[in-house]
Amino acid sequence: MTLNESDFVRRVPNRLVVKVGHTDYESERVLMEEPGRFQVVERFGPSDDVVAHIAPRIRRARNRRGRAA
């Protein structure tokens, strides 16, 4: 998965990319699958708040690395 693909998925805070076969169907629904590569899942229930809370920190860290290079 490219960085651009990942950034596109993460624009929605409760969406994640997971390895095929690693979906938790009790708290995630599969939105898309790239066969043999990855799945895009959407978290729901209490766990989606956790993902949304963590996502901005990941993006800020990535931006800092980009500026430092």
Side-chain angles (χ1 to χ4, degrees):
M1 167 168 260
T2 68
L3 185 58
N4 286 337
E5 290 171 324
S6 176
D7 285 344
F8 179 77
V9 169
R10 296 297 297 146
R11 286 182 186 170
V12 179
N14 64 333
R15 292 186 181 168
L16 298 170
V17 177
V18 298
K19 186 176 178 178
V20 174
H22 288 255
T23 301
D24 177 3
Y25 290 98
E26 291 184 20
S27 62
E28 300 170 339
R29 69 174 87 19
V30 177
L31 300 176
M32 175 209 139
E33 180 174 331
E34 182 68 34
R37 293 182 62 210
F38 59 87
Q39 291 177 317
V40 175
V41 299
E42 184 173 63
R43 306 266 314 170
F44 57 86
S47 61
D48 73 335
D49 292 336
V50 172
V51 172
H53 179 72
I54 292 171
R57 284 190 252 158
I58 294 169
R59 185 156 296 149
R60 281 196 303 267
R62 189 177 290 156
N63 287 340
R64 273 187 256 132
R65 282 194 306 258
R67 282 187 225 129

